[in-house]
Amino acid sequence: MRSIWKGAVSFGLVSIAVKLYSATEDHDVKFHQVHKTDGGRVKYRRVCSVDGEEIEYRDIAKGFELPNGELVVLTDADMDELPLGSTHEIEVLQFVEQSEIDPIHFEKTYYLEPEGSATRPYVLLRTALENAGQVAITKIAIRQRESLAALRVRDGVLVLHTMRWPDEIRAPEFGFLDEDVAAKPAELKMAESLIATMSGSFDPSAFTDDYKEAMAALLEAKQAGGDVVRPEEAEDDEDDGSVVDLMSALRRSVEKAGGKSGDDEAPEGKAPAKKAPAKKAPAKRAAAKATPAKKAPAKKAASKSA
């Protein structure tokens, strides 16, 4: 695994140097968008809506639209100047019971690994959390975005769950909540009996991703049946999406400058270039051309009687 963040967990006066790793990965079947007639990849360009020009990543900034339609443009330099104290620090703010945190708040999960000589304080915090049976509430800034986070222990490793802020949780505004509806006692007893019958320990390995398995079987059957397309090889694009076809780029540049793309036509408004004078022939050849060639003696006509 490769770490995506480095910093320290601040636990009172104790500072624990750690690396952050993504704890999950996506195993879903990946698809490309392609042209269904020839299998060619569908590509997208970053084009400015004002001048129609294609732009590179380095020229892209963040824009916040105001109610009057104007934009506040923020560059990477502006974002770097934000006063985030949690940029390289995970500060422990509070300890709570894990049951007090509704899972709706959880967003992404990360592993924390001690760095350098931080193993001893790392084990200290891990053991203290296990003995207390509690979760640490912290703050962390990843990619210039500060999040609330919960720090807990799982299989001997500190695990960090980034959490949504309270104002990001929607309220369920459904009409039936205001209705006076109650379950009938007999129905409730039957439902509770069913729950008891189906209860057991949670084992994630006992469940399968039926969609992924069905998709894998479909792809294998398509391949075995020869139902595949080999798209024509296209010229590779640069990472920034710039045009690689040099002739096309040159042709457009000439046309944009007001000229024509033909090699033998001069740009508009300019006289055609004069042809260079022909080189003189070597002296000997010139002299030979000046002296008329002697005629060969005529052959005698053959006698008709012969």
Side-chain angles (χ1 to χ4, degrees), residues 58 65-68 76 85 96 102 104 108 120 129 145 163 175 186 200 206 237 252 259 281 286:
R58 64 171 177 266
E65 187 172 359
L66 300 175
N68 61 2
D76 289 340
V96 301
D102 192 311
I104 196 173
K108 293 183 179 180
R120 182 177 291 275
L129 283 175
R145 179 69 174 93
M163 301 166 62
D237 287 355
R252 285 200 301 273

Side-chain angles (χ1 to χ4, degrees), residues 163-219:
M163 301 166 62
R164 293 193 176 275
W165 296 99
D167 62 346
E168 296 178 324
I169 307 299
R170 292 178 174 178
E173 299 175 351
F174 304 129
F176 80 93
L177 294 175
D178 298 327
E179 299 175 6
D180 187 12
V181 180
K184 293 180 180 181
E187 295 172 342
L188 181 59
K189 185 176 181 179
M190 184 64 69
E192 290 174 348
S193 176
L194 179 60
I195 291 174
T197 303
M198 299 178 64
S199 295
S201 300
F202 176 62
D203 179 10
S205 64
F207 304 92
T208 57
D209 187 345
D210 295 337
Y211 170 81
K212 185 176 71 174
E213 291 184 356
M215 181 57 67
L218 174 61
L219 293 173

Side-chain angles (χ1 to χ4, degrees), residues 14-303:
V14 178
S15 182
I16 309 169
V18 293
K19 295 179 182 179
L20 196 74
Y21 300 84
S22 179
T24 59
E25 57 186 2
D26 186 6
H27 285 172
D28 197 7
V29 180
K30 303 293 184 182
F31 293 102
H32 297 297
Q33 287 190 321
V34 298
H35 189 194
K36 65 180 181 181
T37 59
D38 55 20
R41 289 279 295 274
V42 176
K43 298 184 179 180
Y44 295 90
R45 305 289 185 183
R46 298 174 294 277
V47 178
C48 176
S49 62
V50 176
D51 58 20
E53 294 290 330
E54 187 176 339
I55 54 180
E56 298 182 2
Y57 275 119
R58 64 171 177 266
D59 296 323
I60 297 178
K62 292 178 172 63
F64 179 79
E65 187 172 359
L66 300 175
N68 61 2
E70 295 180 338
L71 283 175
V72 177
V73 179
L74 298 178
T75 63
D76 289 340
D78 295 325
M79 301 299 291
D80 291 338
E81 291 178 1
L82 289 175
L84 290 177
S86 54
T87 302
H88 295 291
E89 182 182 28
I90 304 173
E91 182 184 1
V92 176
L93 306 174
Q94 186 184 12
F95 294 96
V96 301
E97 296 290 335
Q98 185 170 342
S99 59
E100 295 181 21
I101 306 175
D102 192 311
I104 196 173
H105 287 276
F106 292 145
E107 192 172 16
K108 293 183 179 180
T109 306
Y110 301 91
Y111 289 137
L112 292 181
E113 178 194 25
E115 184 176 22
S117 60
T119 302
R120 182 177 291 275
Y122 181 98
V123 172
L124 170 66
L125 176 58
R126 182 194 68 186
T127 307
L129 283 175
E130 286 180 318
N131 292 343
Q134 291 191 318
V135 173
I137 301 300
T138 70
K139 276 185 179 181
I140 184 173
I142 302 175
R143 299 184 182 94
Q144 301 174 330
R145 179 69 174 93
E146 188 176 60
S147 298
L148 201 62
L151 187 64
R152 68 181 183 92
V153 180
R154 181 180 185 273
D155 296 334
V157 177
L158 291 177
V159 176
L160 186 83
H161 301 277
T162 55
M163 301 166 62
R164 293 193 176 275
W165 296 99
D167 62 346
E168 296 178 324
I169 307 299
R170 292 178 174 178
E173 299 175 351
F174 304 129
F176 80 93
L177 294 175
D178 298 327
E179 299 175 6
D180 187 12
V181 180
K184 293 180 180 181
E187 295 172 342
L188 181 59
K189 185 176 181 179
M190 184 64 69
E192 290 174 348
S193 176
L194 179 60
I195 291 174
T197 303
M198 299 178 64
S199 295
S201 300
F202 176 62
D203 179 10
S205 64
F207 304 92
T208 57
D209 187 345
D210 295 337
Y211 170 81
K212 185 176 71 174
E213 291 184 356
M215 181 57 67
L218 174 61
L219 293 173
E220 186 176 351
K222 288 269 189 180
Q223 184 179 4
D227 191 6
V228 295
V229 176
R230 182 177 294 278
E232 295 182 8
E233 293 185 5
E235 295 183 4
D236 293 333
D237 287 355
E238 297 288 348
D239 292 339
D240 60 358
S242 59
V243 181
V244 177
D245 189 344
L246 183 57
M247 284 303 298
S248 296
L250 291 173
R251 187 176 294 107
R252 285 200 301 273
S253 299
V254 172
E255 292 172 353
K256 190 174 181 180
K260 296 181 179 179
S261 59
D263 296 333
D264 56 349
E265 294 185 52
E268 199 172 325
K270 292 185 179 181
K274 293 182 179 180
K275 292 183 178 179
K279 294 181 180 180
K280 292 182 179 180
K284 290 183 179 180
R285 180 176 290 184
K289 286 185 177 181
T291 305
K294 294 182 179 180
K295 292 183 179 181
K299 292 183 179 180
K300 293 182 180 181
S303 174

